[in-house]
PDB file of all heavy atoms in Angstrom:
ATOM      1  N   LYS D   3      61.549 117.303 103.065  1.00  0.00           N
ATOM      2  CA  LYS D   3      62.680 118.061 103.334  1.00  0.00           C
ATOM      3  C   LYS D   3      63.805 117.455 102.659  1.00  0.00           C
ATOM      4  O   LYS D   3      64.194 116.274 102.994  1.00  0.00           O
ATOM      5  CB  LYS D   3      62.899 118.254 104.824  1.00  0.00           C
ATOM      6  CG  LYS D   3      61.878 119.098 105.500  1.00  0.00           C
ATOM      7  CD  LYS D   3      62.211 119.415 106.971  1.00  0.00           C
ATOM      8  CE  LYS D   3      61.060 119.402 107.826  1.00  0.00           C
ATOM      9  NZ  LYS D   3      60.263 118.172 108.087  1.00  0.00           N
ATOM     10  N   SER D  10      83.234 121.644  99.520  1.00  0.00           N
ATOM     11  CA  SER D  10      83.746 122.156  98.238  1.00  0.00           C
ATOM     12  C   SER D  10      85.231 122.803  98.550  1.00  0.00           C
ATOM     13  O   SER D  10      85.265 123.542  99.479  1.00  0.00           O
ATOM     14  CB  SER D  10      82.853 123.250  97.621  1.00  0.00           C
ATOM     15  OG  SER D  10      83.390 123.763  96.478  1.00  0.00           O
ATOM     16  N   TYR D  12      87.327 124.517  96.184  1.00  0.00           N
ATOM     17  CA  TYR D  12      87.699 125.792  95.580  1.00  0.00           C
ATOM     18  C   TYR D  12      86.430 126.416  94.947  1.00  0.00           C
ATOM     19  O   TYR D  12      86.454 127.575  94.340  1.00  0.00           O
ATOM     20  CB  TYR D  12      88.616 125.357  94.326  1.00  0.00           C
ATOM     21  CG  TYR D  12      89.894 124.881  94.910  1.00  0.00           C
ATOM     22  CD1 TYR D  12      89.994 123.519  94.856  1.00  0.00           C
ATOM     23  CD2 TYR D  12      90.863 125.569  95.375  1.00  0.00           C
ATOM     24  CE1 TYR D  12      91.182 122.861  95.332  1.00  0.00           C
ATOM     25  CE2 TYR D  12      92.070 125.145  95.768  1.00  0.00           C
ATOM     26  CZ  TYR D  12      92.254 123.712  95.784  1.00  0.00           C
ATOM     27  OH  TYR D  12      93.457 123.165  96.199  1.00  0.00           O
ATOM     28  N   HIS D  14      83.922 124.836  92.827  1.00  0.00           N
ATOM     29  CA  HIS D  14      83.344 124.232  91.758  1.00  0.00           C
ATOM     30  C   HIS D  14      82.234 123.351  92.237  1.00  0.00           C
ATOM     31  O   HIS D  14      81.140 123.298  91.772  1.00  0.00           O
ATOM     32  CB  HIS D  14      84.316 123.386  91.013  1.00  0.00           C
ATOM     33  CG  HIS D  14      85.396 124.139  90.477  1.00  0.00           C
ATOM     34  ND1 HIS D  14      86.583 124.371  91.192  1.00  0.00           N
ATOM     35  CD2 HIS D  14      85.745 124.717  89.308  1.00  0.00           C
ATOM     36  CE1 HIS D  14      87.507 125.078  90.501  1.00  0.00           C
ATOM     37  NE2 HIS D  14      86.900 125.346  89.258  1.00  0.00           N
ATOM     38  N   LYS D  17      79.180 125.223  93.336  1.00  0.00           N
ATOM     39  CA  LYS D  17      78.208 125.446  92.233  1.00  0.00           C
ATOM     40  C   LYS D  17      77.462 124.362  91.835  1.00  0.00           C
ATOM     41  O   LYS D  17      76.136 124.510  91.614  1.00  0.00           O
ATOM     42  CB  LYS D  17      79.060 126.031  91.005  1.00  0.00           C
ATOM     43  CG  LYS D  17      79.430 127.386  90.997  1.00  0.00           C
ATOM     44  CD  LYS D  17      80.065 127.969  89.773  1.00  0.00           C
ATOM     45  CE  LYS D  17      79.054 128.090  88.720  1.00  0.00           C
ATOM     46  NZ  LYS D  17      79.586 128.833  87.506  1.00  0.00           N
ATOM     47  N   ASN D  40      82.875 122.209 106.529  1.00  0.00           N
ATOM     48  CA  ASN D  40      83.903 123.374 106.553  1.00  0.00           C
ATOM     49  C   ASN D  40      85.363 122.686 106.176  1.00  0.00           C
ATOM     50  O   ASN D  40      85.458 121.496 105.990  1.00  0.00           O
ATOM     51  CB  ASN D  40      83.885 124.145 107.806  1.00  0.00           C
ATOM     52  CG  ASN D  40      84.464 123.409 108.914  1.00  0.00           C
ATOM     53  OD1 ASN D  40      85.129 122.367 108.920  1.00  0.00           O
ATOM     54  ND2 ASN D  40      84.216 123.967 110.186  1.00  0.00           N
ATOM     55  N   ASP D  49      73.269 121.582 112.130  1.00  0.00           N
ATOM     56  CA  ASP D  49      73.216 120.951 110.947  1.00  0.00           C
ATOM     57  C   ASP D  49      72.969 119.371 110.989  1.00  0.00           C
ATOM     58  O   ASP D  49      72.214 118.714 110.246  1.00  0.00           O
ATOM     59  CB  ASP D  49      74.731 120.961 110.226  1.00  0.00           C
ATOM     60  CG  ASP D  49      75.006 122.424 109.803  1.00  0.00           C
ATOM     61  OD1 ASP D  49      74.024 123.172 109.537  1.00  0.00           O
ATOM     62  OD2 ASP D  49      76.240 122.743 109.764  1.00  0.00           O
ATOM     63  N   ALA D  51      71.125 118.252 113.255  1.00  0.00           N
ATOM     64  CA  ALA D  51      69.635 118.182 113.460  1.00  0.00           C
ATOM     65  C   ALA D  51      68.844 118.269 112.175  1.00  0.00           C
ATOM     66  O   ALA D  51      67.906 117.627 111.984  1.00  0.00           O
ATOM     67  CB  ALA D  51      69.226 119.343 114.447  1.00  0.00           C
ATOM     68  N   PHE D  61      74.553 113.679  99.155  1.00  0.00           N
ATOM     69  CA  PHE D  61      75.906 113.908  99.408  1.00  0.00           C
ATOM     70  C   PHE D  61      76.722 114.441  98.308  1.00  0.00           C
ATOM     71  O   PHE D  61      76.582 113.954  97.204  1.00  0.00           O
ATOM     72  CB  PHE D  61      76.564 112.572  99.867  1.00  0.00           C
ATOM     73  CG  PHE D  61      75.772 111.817 100.941  1.00  0.00           C
ATOM     74  CD1 PHE D  61      75.165 110.607 100.677  1.00  0.00           C
ATOM     75  CD2 PHE D  61      75.701 112.324 102.111  1.00  0.00           C
ATOM     76  CE1 PHE D  61      74.401 109.915 101.660  1.00  0.00           C
ATOM     77  CE2 PHE D  61      75.012 111.788 103.221  1.00  0.00           C
ATOM     78  CZ  PHE D  61      74.332 110.538 102.905  1.00  0.00           C
ATOM     79  N   GLY D  69      88.901 109.660  95.499  1.00  0.00           N
ATOM     80  CA  GLY D  69      87.748 109.425  96.314  1.00  0.00           C
ATOM     81  C   GLY D  69      87.291 110.666  96.880  1.00  0.00           C
ATOM     82  O   GLY D  69      87.809 111.853  96.404  1.00  0.00           O
ATOM     83  N   ALA D  71      86.918 114.050  99.170  1.00  0.00           N
ATOM     84  CA  ALA D  71      87.663 114.851  99.930  1.00  0.00           C
ATOM     85  C   ALA D  71      87.733 114.380 101.328  1.00  0.00           C
ATOM     86  O   ALA D  71      86.664 113.811 101.941  1.00  0.00           O
ATOM     87  CB  ALA D  71      87.381 116.309  99.889  1.00  0.00           C
ATOM     88  N   ARG D  76      85.576 112.787 106.910  1.00  0.00           N
ATOM     89  CA  ARG D  76      85.555 113.109 108.341  1.00  0.00           C
ATOM     90  C   ARG D  76      84.032 113.249 108.822  1.00  0.00           C
ATOM     91  O   ARG D  76      83.573 112.848 109.747  1.00  0.00           O
ATOM     92  CB  ARG D  76      86.309 114.588 108.657  1.00  0.00           C
ATOM     93  CG  ARG D  76      86.364 114.721 110.197  1.00  0.00           C
ATOM     94  CD  ARG D  76      87.364 115.797 110.577  1.00  0.00           C
ATOM     95  NE  ARG D  76      87.561 115.869 111.897  1.00  0.00           N
ATOM     96  CZ  ARG D  76      88.326 116.776 112.567  1.00  0.00           C
ATOM     97  NH1 ARG D  76      88.927 117.789 111.898  1.00  0.00           N
ATOM     98  NH2 ARG D  76      88.461 116.608 113.889  1.00  0.00           N
ATOM     99  N   SER D  87      72.355 104.297 116.046  1.00  0.00           N
ATOM    100  CA  SER D  87      70.956 104.159 116.244  1.00  0.00           C
ATOM    101  C   SER D  87      70.121 104.093 115.014  1.00  0.00           C
ATOM    102  O   SER D  87      68.964 104.093 115.038  1.00  0.00           O
ATOM    103  CB  SER D  87      70.466 105.216 117.146  1.00  0.00           C
ATOM    104  OG  SER D  87      70.935 106.426 116.734  1.00  0.00           O
ATOM    105  N   GLY D  96      71.275 110.261  97.638  1.00  0.00           N
ATOM    106  CA  GLY D  96      71.936 110.346  96.380  1.00  0.00           C
ATOM    107  C   GLY D  96      73.116 111.120  96.431  1.00  0.00           C
ATOM    108  O   GLY D  96      73.603 111.464  97.619  1.00  0.00           O
ATOM    109  N   ASN D 105      86.781 111.028  83.454  1.00  0.00           N
ATOM    110  CA  ASN D 105      86.575 109.876  84.375  1.00  0.00           C
ATOM    111  C   ASN D 105      87.192 110.259  85.674  1.00  0.00           C
ATOM    112  O   ASN D 105      86.641 110.719  86.546  1.00  0.00           O
ATOM    113  CB  ASN D 105      87.021 108.664  83.880  1.00  0.00           C
ATOM    114  CG  ASN D 105      85.839 107.881  83.011  1.00  0.00           C
ATOM    115  OD1 ASN D 105      85.221 107.084  83.506  1.00  0.00           O
ATOM    116  ND2 ASN D 105      85.839 108.371  81.729  1.00  0.00           N
ATOM    117  N   PRO D 133      72.342 108.804  79.088  1.00  0.00           N
ATOM    118  CA  PRO D 133      73.573 109.720  78.802  1.00  0.00           C
ATOM    119  C   PRO D 133      73.345 110.148  77.379  1.00  0.00           C
ATOM    120  O   PRO D 133      72.704 109.680  76.558  1.00  0.00           O
ATOM    121  CB  PRO D 133      74.602 108.704  78.794  1.00  0.00           C
ATOM    122  CG  PRO D 133      74.056 107.292  78.630  1.00  0.00           C
ATOM    123  CD  PRO D 133      72.655 107.409  79.216  1.00  0.00           C
ATOM    124  N   SER D 157      85.167 120.089  85.851  1.00  0.00           N
ATOM    125  CA  SER D 157      85.733 121.451  85.804  1.00  0.00           C
ATOM    126  C   SER D 157      87.246 121.387  85.525  1.00  0.00           C
ATOM    127  O   SER D 157      87.960 120.855  86.360  1.00  0.00           O
ATOM    128  CB  SER D 157      85.539 122.232  87.194  1.00  0.00           C
ATOM    129  OG  SER D 157      84.114 122.115  87.518  1.00  0.00           O
ATOM    130  N   SER D 159      91.210 121.531  85.270  1.00  0.00           N
ATOM    131  CA  SER D 159      92.084 121.809  86.370  1.00  0.00           C
ATOM    132  C   SER D 159      92.528 123.197  86.583  1.00  0.00           C
ATOM    133  O   SER D 159      92.805 123.580  87.749  1.00  0.00           O
ATOM    134  CB  SER D 159      93.363 120.855  86.097  1.00  0.00           C
ATOM    135  OG  SER D 159      94.055 121.207  84.865  1.00  0.00           O
ATOM    136  N   SER D 162      88.520 128.439  86.876  1.00  0.00           N
ATOM    137  CA  SER D 162      87.850 129.027  88.117  1.00  0.00           C
ATOM    138  C   SER D 162      86.457 128.518  88.291  1.00  0.00           C
ATOM    139  O   SER D 162      85.821 128.122  87.305  1.00  0.00           O
ATOM    140  CB  SER D 162      87.861 130.617  88.031  1.00  0.00           C
ATOM    141  OG  SER D 162      86.864 130.973  87.055  1.00  0.00           O
ATOM    142  N   GLU D 165      84.198 129.511  85.629  1.00  0.00           N
ATOM    143  CA  GLU D 165      84.339 128.883  84.360  1.00  0.00           C
ATOM    144  C   GLU D 165      83.794 127.327  84.224  1.00  0.00           C
ATOM    145  O   GLU D 165      83.569 126.811  83.323  1.00  0.00           O
ATOM    146  CB  GLU D 165      85.786 128.853  83.908  1.00  0.00           C
ATOM    147  CG  GLU D 165      86.413 130.267  83.749  1.00  0.00           C
ATOM    148  CD  GLU D 165      87.883 130.241  83.583  1.00  0.00           C
ATOM    149  OE1 GLU D 165      88.550 129.622  84.404  1.00  0.00           O
ATOM    150  OE2 GLU D 165      88.392 130.879  82.575  1.00  0.00           O
ATOM    151  N   LYS D 188      56.885 112.171  96.615  1.00  0.00           N
ATOM    152  CA  LYS D 188      56.000 110.985  96.261  1.00  0.00           C
ATOM    153  C   LYS D 188      55.861 109.955  97.468  1.00  0.00           C
ATOM    154  O   LYS D 188      54.772 109.434  97.656  1.00  0.00           O
ATOM    155  CB  LYS D 188      56.515 110.391  94.901  1.00  0.00           C
ATOM    156  CG  LYS D 188      55.615 109.087  94.524  1.00  0.00           C
ATOM    157  CD  LYS D 188      56.330 108.328  93.391  1.00  0.00           C
ATOM    158  CE  LYS D 188      55.839 106.820  93.350  1.00  0.00           C
ATOM    159  NZ  LYS D 188      56.862 105.955  92.737  1.00  0.00           N
TER     160      LYS D 188
END
Side-chain angles (χ1 to χ4, degrees):
Chain D
K3 291 185 212 72
S10 181
Y12 299 94
H14 305 86
K17 278 190 72 175
N40 76 13
D49 293 330
F61 307 114
R76 188 173 188 181
S87 47
N105 275 267
S157 304
S159 56
S162 73
E165 296 168 310
K188 179 188 152 201

